[in-house]
Amino acid sequence: MFFVTMDAYVALEGGRVVEARARAPGQTRGELVFTTAYTGYEESLTDPSYEEQVLTFSYPLIGNYGVRSERFESDGVHPRAVVAHELTDDVAAWLEREGVPAVDRLDTRDLVTRIREEGAMKCGIVAGEDVTPEDALDQLAQCKGMSEHVDIGEQVSVREPATYNPDGSGPDVALIDCGAKGSIVSSLVERGATVHRLPYDATPAEIEAFAPDVLFISNGPGDPENFEATQDLVRELAGEIPMAGICLGQQVIAGALGGETEKMAFGHRGVNQPVRDLRTGRVVMTTQNHGYTVADPGPLDVTQVNVNDDTPEGLESDDLRVITRQYHPEANPGPHDTLSFFDDVLAMTGSRTQVAAD
Ligand SMILES: NC(=O)CC[C@H](N)C(=O)O
């Protein structure tokens, strides 16, 4: 007989408690979401866009090719906790070192079905010796909804500006860090750009000091409406300087220019999300991780849509010189179908006009 000691509990919004096995101890809470990605767990777990969420992997075995820091997208693990059907010892040890609770040996098929039917939900999660179902329910009771995390930008952004590839011969990019993945920086640097990484609440005057050729709004966690300072910046500089955005960046730019965003039921998280370009009819496979979407693109044209649910995946405006993507063209993890986005962004810089002085 094969016995597994159950020493972890996951309390779901509504009060149901699911038993599991502790793989990294701790007690925490967050919005329970799932990814269908079957590869790229190191990248997902270090993606700042997962801040304040509990990440469930629908793929049953996570960790089968080890843990290598070269693949990390930031300095630490961002989900509050991790749920999988089976986590390898390597991943469990890494999460324990990072102080991130992790559980496995629960029916993730059932959990994912529930999230698909009821939407992303609050959860409490406890793992380790002596934890009880009541502890998990206590955590659940303290769990905030994603949109209630009003200071989430502060949690994930750089404190001080940083410059990458200072002697580059390419364009200067002002990257507004709302929780940027490292491979957005490297995708730009590889193409010769100099990247000035700036806090999410950088002011127009701070941007102008760098005289950048393009303003690039990064990915990031939570509700784009909570990035008011970033939206103000976009509004202020719109039309003055070309702009690009990825994921939260698309949402912030659309919201700032008069459009609207809304929460999705369970979002898109995975590495095989099909996207159709409306101009060419071509479909590409994309990597995604988002729970909000653009509901109204404002003055921007929708140029790409998700094949599954028609939500906007690409927004553009020739007049305003804006180009954004809802998916992750930096492709870490891949597929690599959409890397040319970075070439398109840098190509926009040829048409730069002077940034207006205050
Ligand atoms: N990856 C991201 O930038 C996520 C965007 C936003 N936080 C969302 O969940 O929709």
Side-chain angles (χ1 to χ4, degrees), residues 11 27-29 124 126 132-143:
Q27 307 205 9
T28 192
R29 53 197 173 265
V126 296
T132 64
E134 288 68 37
D135 295 334
L137 288 163
D138 267 2
Q139 289 293 330
L140 173 65
Q142 295 172 59
C143 187

Side-chain angles (χ1 to χ4, degrees), residues 298-314:
L300 306 173
D301 299 322
V302 178
T303 55
Q304 301 189 340
V305 296
N306 191 293
V307 174
N308 293 330
D309 62 9
D310 272 339
T311 50
E313 294 286 0

Side-chain angles (χ1 to χ4, degrees), residues 177-258:
D177 180 0
C178 301
K181 288 175 69 181
S183 56
I184 293 180
V185 176
S186 51
S187 299
L188 292 164
V189 165
E190 274 163 22
R191 288 167 173 78
T194 296
V195 177
H196 306 278
R197 185 174 190 162
L198 298 158
Y200 76 103
D201 56 356
T203 62
E206 284 164 331
I207 303 297
E208 284 156 24
F210 291 102
D213 298 298
V214 59
L215 182 72
F216 198 125
I217 315 294
S218 83
N219 64 294
D223 188 338
E225 287 185 21
N226 286 331
F227 285 80
E228 271 172 42
T230 323
Q231 294 213 10
D232 288 347
L233 179 70
V234 168
R235 250 189 308 274
E236 193 86 22
L237 296 181
E240 309 281 352
I241 177 171
M243 285 186 191
I246 290 180
C247 207
L248 180 96
Q250 162 157 307
Q251 301 163 359
V252 162
I253 291 174
L257 299 181

